[in-house]
Amino acid sequence: MSIPFGFGQGDNNELAGIFESIGKMLRNGPTTGAVDWESARASSAEALNASGDQPSQNTTGGQAATHMADVWLNDATIFPSNGLQAVSLTRKEWLNSTFDSWKAIVEPVAEGVATAMSSLMPTSDQIGSLEIPDEILNGLPPEMAANMRAMLNNPDISALTGPLMAMAQSMGATMFGMQFGQALGTMATEVLSSTDIGIPLTSDSHPMLVATNVDEFARGLALDTNDVYVYVALRELAHQRLFAHAPWLSSQVLAAISDYARGVRVDNTRIQEAMSQIDPNDPNALNEALGGNLFEATQTPEQTAALTRLEVLLALIEGWVTIVVTQATGGRLPTADALEETFRRRRAAGGPTERLFAGLVGLEIHPRRIREATALWKRIGEISSIDKRD
């Protein structure tokens, strides 16, 4: 199946790590659950170590920026401040502080994939009913042929196949965990705050800035670093206020992901038809079949509806934050327009939010949808009031 986050597109080092994890699994026993979180944690740490994690030299910029942003936001939204002091994180600290939150986001999809793949595995009854032609068995070494006959005639064949099936499922969990860990380690080098993916990743509403990444982001823009800190802090605090006072938003995002995951299906008929057409005399035929989209999930109408709902929710969140931040900076931050345009382009080019949901559920968040949501919030504020809008 097309496993999320582009598994199989890595380099030899990644493959070596996968085989090492599989070896560990064989030594320690099968993994329970659809995701091997131990492998995910180790893989994310390796990816982050490869990128480096130098602490920021700007030790006070984040706190000063969030204090200023907190005051400015009071004029732009009725949602009050939680009064919590901002924390500047290293990349590793962001990874550790958000790691457990990813389980609620990723596990439903992983379980959906595992269930779909399990449906392709033959049952013990199906295996027991197999009949291998004598001409094939006679072509095998005598000892192997005898073992095959004994296995197929075993009345309790599930005792033989059960461990193999468990191992296959455990290997899937290990590979899923490793690939997600790689994606998470890469994300740690890009995210600017704890809400940069559009939903909160901590439970205490504490504003957090990944200072090293904000520093690098500011250098790439050739803008005043203090301005960038203030703008990022405004977005972080606006997200935190929104989710603190509309807590149902997070649960609705997770519900849409779960609804999508429950519908993951693989077309077994298509696989059987494709395999029946493979020319056994063509050594490349099997590789070509497996290299295509043979094992990709078939999207159902229910999944399409879940993805549409998810896209609308994320767009409404982003649109509200954009409008509130724009109102908060009005006349106070000369570079606000340039920074707003930078974040718009960042989303359009595929920022952390876009890549996360594209890899997880195949969702493409259209820039047009975010523009429409932003225009909606702006219009509501114009024809009524900030109080009624919020």
Side-chain angles (χ1 to χ4, degrees), residues 13-81:
N13 291 332
E14 182 180 338
L15 292 175
I18 290 172
F19 286 124
E20 169 60 27
S21 290
I22 291 174
K24 185 188 300 182
M25 176 196 73
L26 296 176
R27 293 191 297 271
N28 300 336
T31 299
T32 58
V35 182
D36 182 346
W37 288 105
E38 182 180 344
S39 293
R41 188 181 289 276
S43 182
S44 63
E46 288 179 9
L48 184 55
N49 288 338
S51 301
D53 186 22
Q54 294 295 324
S56 171
Q57 300 302 312
N58 191 340
T59 56
T60 60
Q63 292 184 356
T66 51
H67 177 73
M68 184 181 299
D70 217 19
V71 174
W72 289 2
L73 283 172
N74 290 333
D75 297 331
T77 175
I78 65 168
F79 297 149
S81 167

Side-chain angles (χ1 to χ4, degrees), residues 1-4 108-118 176 261 264 266 360:
M1 188 171 187
S2 179
I3 295 179
V109 178
E111 289 169 359
V113 172
T115 300
M117 295 307 291
S118 295
F176 200 112
V264 173
V266 179
L360 189 63

Side-chain angles (χ1 to χ4, degrees), residues 24-344:
K24 185 188 300 182
M25 176 196 73
L26 296 176
R27 293 191 297 271
N28 300 336
T31 299
T32 58
V35 182
D36 182 346
W37 288 105
E38 182 180 344
S39 293
R41 188 181 289 276
S43 182
S44 63
E46 288 179 9
L48 184 55
N49 288 338
S51 301
D53 186 22
Q54 294 295 324
S56 171
Q57 300 302 312
N58 191 340
T59 56
T60 60
Q63 292 184 356
T66 51
H67 177 73
M68 184 181 299
D70 217 19
V71 174
W72 289 2
L73 283 172
N74 290 333
D75 297 331
T77 175
I78 65 168
F79 297 149
S81 167
N82 59 21
L84 295 175
Q85 187 69 31
V87 177
S88 293
L89 304 178
T90 64
R91 292 167 174 174
K92 184 178 180 180
E93 288 170 342
W94 176 86
L95 200 60
N96 291 335
S97 64
T98 63
F99 189 83
D100 288 339
S101 299
W102 291 104
K103 296 178 181 179
I105 299 172
V106 172
E107 279 185 340
V109 178
E111 289 169 359
V113 172
T115 300
M117 295 307 291
S118 295
S119 69
L120 301 180
M121 295 181 180
T123 64
S124 56
D125 291 339
Q126 290 171 326
I127 295 175
S129 64
L130 286 175
E131 293 184 4
I132 300 180
D134 287 338
E135 56 267 24
I136 293 180
L137 290 175
N138 292 337
L140 297 174
E143 184 177 352
M144 183 181 295
N147 288 336
M148 288 288 291
R149 289 189 177 96
M151 183 184 75
L152 294 175
N153 292 327
N154 190 322
D156 189 17
I157 197 169
S158 61
L160 299 173
T161 60
L164 293 176
M165 297 300 182
M167 183 182 296
Q169 292 172 350
S170 187
M171 288 173 64
T174 298
M175 290 189 290
F176 200 112
M178 283 204 64
Q179 189 59 31
F180 175 70
Q182 287 279 340
L184 190 57
T186 301
M187 193 183 301
T189 68
E190 302 173 350
V191 291
L192 304 177
S193 66
S194 67
T195 58
D196 201 17
I197 69 161
I199 56 176
L201 294 174
T202 56
S203 58
D204 58 4
S205 301
H206 219 119
M208 298 178 179
L209 304 182
V210 187
T212 304
N213 294 346
V214 177
D215 289 343
E216 288 192 3
F217 185 65
R219 283 195 293 270
L221 297 178
L223 295 175
D224 185 272
T225 300
N226 291 329
D227 286 4
V228 176
Y229 264 94
V230 171
Y231 196 85
V232 172
L234 282 165
R235 288 181 53 83
E236 168 72 356
L237 293 174
H239 275 105
Q240 294 290 3
R241 291 192 187 201
L242 174 63
F243 284 104
H245 298 283
W248 58 269
L249 273 173
S250 294
S251 62
Q252 284 297 307
V253 170
L254 295 178
I257 294 173
S258 295
D259 289 345
Y260 171 87
R262 280 195 295 271
V264 173
R265 299 288 185 273
V266 179
D267 190 347
N268 196 20
T269 303
R270 183 177 63 176
I271 296 173
Q272 292 174 346
E273 290 177 353
M275 299 305 276
S276 67
Q277 297 173 6
I278 292 176
D279 182 0
N281 297 316
D282 182 0
N284 293 321
L286 183 60
N287 286 336
E288 291 176 358
L290 297 178
N293 61 353
L294 191 59
F295 293 94
E296 284 187 0
T298 302
Q299 194 170 104
T300 64
E302 292 77 13
Q303 286 180 302
T304 301
L307 291 182
T308 300
R309 190 165 73 255
L310 179 60
E311 183 185 17
V312 168
L313 280 168
L314 293 172
L316 286 169
I317 292 167
E318 177 61 28
W320 183 89
V321 168
T322 298
I323 283 297
V324 168
V325 169
T326 298
Q327 292 176 341
T329 59
R332 292 166 166 157
L333 195 67
T335 57
D337 290 343
L339 284 163
E340 181 179 333
E341 176 63 14
T342 297
F343 273 84
R344 186 194 67 77

